[in-house]
Amino acid sequence: MLDLYRLSVQINEKKEILAKHEEELKSNVEDVFAFLNSVDRKKIQNVLSKIPSKDEKNEILFCLPYYSNYNEFLKSHKCPLNTDYEVFAVDGSNTEIDRHILTPYYVLNIACVSIAYGEKESRFWYKTFPYIYLDQELYSDKDDITFKNSSEISQERQEKEFVAILEYIEESSETDQLKIVLYDGNLVDWSQDRQGMRFGRKANAILERIFLLAEQKKIAVCGFISVPKNSIISNIYRIYMCEKPRINCRECPKEQKRECEKIGRIKDVILFSGLREGEYSNIFYTLGRAFDEFEKTDIGFVYLNTGYEIARVEFPLYIANDKNWFESCLGAIYHQCQLGFGYPISLTHAHEFSVISKGDKDAIESMLYRFEDSLMRYSAKKNNKIKRIV
């Protein structure tokens, strides 16, 4: 049982630390705002000169405005509302591996939703794709002894989501109606970039195929991130202020690194907190090694005030190359957010259809037990938890 009194004491003690960090953050935010409002070509060139080459391992992700290299970091635009389009949304869920049952397993469930809006015709359909993994399929490719961890299962789920998107695009016929694909989350895993896990890693073949085919069929593939935690725009100030002629964080002493990282912790949404409902930021593209892997289909993004929060919308830059098309796509996403109280309604439906409930898990385990001779279905530990022995 949780001791709430002891927990409240700890929270109160840490409030002072949090308040101090908030004060430090305010000062840093003001400095970043001042810098971004004064950016010019000379300052951008100063930043670019400090970036390591591709064959060097040390790198800080940062971004620049897509339509120019300076003077547009804090520019905002009014989002046009679009109510005539077709949206295809994908989301997935998974169970974890329970080693306390006789036949361990995990399940992925991918849900696809398609909604067409328009004056002449509106339609709605959905489909789910379940996948179950047993026996040798449970083990990690790393050692064939350890069960897959949450991260590995999540990556498999993402691959299945991309497969569903690819199949939709392959089966789509070319029409005059605007078509967008909405994916819940980042199109590229940014956390892996920060951990240096993508160095020397090959491009995601499925995602690259999706982008190239979608461009040919004029289908906009977009990732929607609610409550985005990215801190990339502030990094340009962090690089500018660095005293070294070339960025190499490994050489810096810990104290200096801590001061530098305070700037890097300023989230992008803070910098765009002034966006009004229905406004979006300038288009940005990220400079970083992971984003070179798609070549002409690099990832761009904007921040959009959905009326409830500042959300992040990602897309391959082939969409941004056609400004009218881009505005139509963003207008459709904004319409989705209006219908869904700040979050795209199609992704809400996809999430609901993808959820694996306790009843679902009980049914799966019931099916598995039919093939077992043993009376012991799960461990004594799990048995006691189920019976809630006191």
Side-chain angles (χ1 to χ4, degrees):
M1 181 179 289
L2 198 61
D3 189 331
L4 294 177
Y5 174 75
R6 288 180 181 272
L7 201 61
S8 66
V9 171
Q10 292 179 42
I11 290 173
N12 287 330
E13 288 174 350
K14 293 179 180 182
K15 275 184 177 179
E16 295 182 10
I17 299 173
L18 292 173
K20 183 180 178 182
H21 289 169
E22 283 294 319
E23 285 301 314
E24 292 176 349
L25 185 65
K26 286 180 183 178
S27 175
N28 288 327
V29 167
E30 291 173 2
D31 292 340
V32 173
F33 268 123
F35 172 77
L36 293 178
N37 280 315
S38 66
V39 166
D40 54 24
R41 185 183 297 274
K42 185 177 179 181
K43 289 181 179 179
I44 294 296
Q45 291 301 323
N46 177 288
V47 169
L48 294 176
S49 68
K50 296 180 180 182
I51 303 303
S53 59
K54 290 184 181 180
D55 58 343
E56 298 177 76
K57 288 189 175 181
N58 193 308
E59 184 173 337
I60 298 178
L61 291 178
F62 70 102
C63 64
L64 292 175
Y66 183 58
Y67 292 124
S68 79
N69 287 334
Y70 58 97
N71 202 31
E72 290 188 349
F73 276 89
L74 301 178
K75 190 174 182 180
S76 61
H77 310 264
K78 185 66 178 175
C79 186
L81 189 66
N82 186 358
T83 59
D84 187 6
Y85 60 92
E86 178 183 312
V87 58
F88 178 82
V90 177
D91 197 14
S93 64
N94 61 269
T95 62
E96 297 295 327
I97 302 173
D98 185 351
R99 65 183 184 85
H100 291 288
I101 63 175
L102 187 61
T103 305
Y105 72 96
Y106 70 93
V107 169
L108 307 180
N109 191 34
I110 310 303
C112 304
V113 169
S114 178
I115 312 174
Y117 300 88
E119 296 179 359
K120 296 181 180 179
E121 179 186 11
S122 295
R123 63 182 184 276
F124 176 98
W125 71 260
Y126 79 93
K127 194 170 184 178
T128 60
F129 301 89
Y131 303 88
I132 189 165
Y133 298 82
L134 302 164
D135 197 32
Q136 293 301 314
E137 297 172 319
L138 304 178
Y139 295 96
S140 172
D141 294 333
K142 297 174 183 177
D143 54 22
D144 294 326
I145 298 174
T146 311
F147 279 161
K148 293 174 183 174
N149 58 37
S150 299
S151 177
E152 290 173 300
I153 294 174
S154 294
Q155 287 176 13
E156 288 184 349
R157 187 189 70 233
Q158 184 187 61
E159 287 296 305
K160 294 297 185 185
E161 291 167 346
F162 287 162
V163 167
I165 292 173
L166 181 58
E167 288 178 354
Y168 166 76
I169 294 172
E170 288 176 336
E171 295 171 2
S172 293
S173 56
E174 295 186 33
T175 65
D176 293 333
Q177 187 179 34
L178 175 68
K179 288 187 177 183
I180 60 173
V181 171
L182 279 181
Y183 176 75
D184 181 37
N186 298 102
L187 294 176
V188 173
D189 189 346
W190 292 45
S191 64
Q192 291 189 3
D193 299 313
R194 288 197 297 272
Q195 295 166 9
M197 294 171 64
R198 281 186 173 264
F199 296 140
R201 181 174 169 179
K202 292 182 179 178
N204 185 316
I206 298 178
L207 193 56
E208 190 171 37
R209 172 68 178 158
I210 286 171
F211 289 165
L212 294 175
L213 190 59
E215 181 180 11
Q216 293 171 14
K217 294 194 174 185
K218 207 170 176 61
I219 298 173
V221 180
C222 303
F224 188 93
I225 301 94
S226 180
V227 193
K229 297 179 175 62
N230 304 104
S231 301
I232 293 182
I233 292 177
S234 59
N235 275 346
I236 194 166
Y237 176 65
R238 184 178 169 188
I239 297 169
Y240 180 77
M241 293 300 292
C242 182
E243 298 175 357
K244 297 182 181 298
R246 299 277 279 185
I247 295 294
N248 191 344
C249 299
R250 298 180 183 184
E251 292 181 354
C252 290
K254 287 185 179 179
E255 281 302 318
Q256 188 174 349
K257 192 178 292 187
R258 285 195 194 100
E259 290 301 314
C260 180
E261 287 175 348
K262 285 179 183 177
I263 300 170
R265 286 199 294 268
I266 298 174
K267 292 181 173 60
D268 294 350
V269 290
I270 294 175
L271 301 177
F272 291 104
S273 57
L275 290 174
R276 298 177 181 177
E277 182 177 347
E279 288 186 343
Y280 67 94
S281 70
N282 193 27
I283 299 174
F284 295 95
Y285 69 102
T286 301
L287 296 177
R289 190 166 307 157
F291 297 84
D292 294 332
E293 63 184 25
F294 299 116
E295 296 181 356
K296 63 178 291 188
T297 46
D298 284 341
I299 304 296
F301 63 90
V302 296
Y303 287 98
L304 170 68
N305 187 329
T306 67
Y308 183 84
E309 65 173 351
I310 307 295
R312 179 188 176 96
V313 181
E314 292 186 0
F315 42 85
L317 287 178
Y318 69 77
I319 298 172
N321 291 335
D322 185 332
K323 196 169 183 179
N324 291 332
W325 184 24
F326 165 77
E327 288 182 349
S328 296
C329 293
L330 199 62
I333 294 173
Y334 179 48
H335 178 245
Q336 283 285 291
C337 292
Q338 285 196 323
L339 296 175
F341 302 100
Y343 183 77
I345 188 68
S346 57
L347 282 175
T348 298
H349 289 313
H351 172 74
E352 290 171 346
F353 293 132
S354 74
V355 168
I356 303 170
S357 67
K358 184 181 182 301
D360 293 332
K361 287 187 275 189
D362 290 342
I364 293 167
E365 290 170 17
S366 178
M367 287 187 281
L368 291 173
Y369 296 151
R370 295 174 192 171
F371 301 98
E372 299 165 357
D373 297 327
S374 174
L375 294 176
M376 184 190 72
R377 296 182 175 181
Y378 30 70
S379 69
K381 180 179 179 179
K382 187 176 179 70
N383 183 60
N384 286 352
K385 287 183 178 180
I386 293 172
K387 293 183 177 181
R388 301 181 67 87
I389 294 176
V390 179

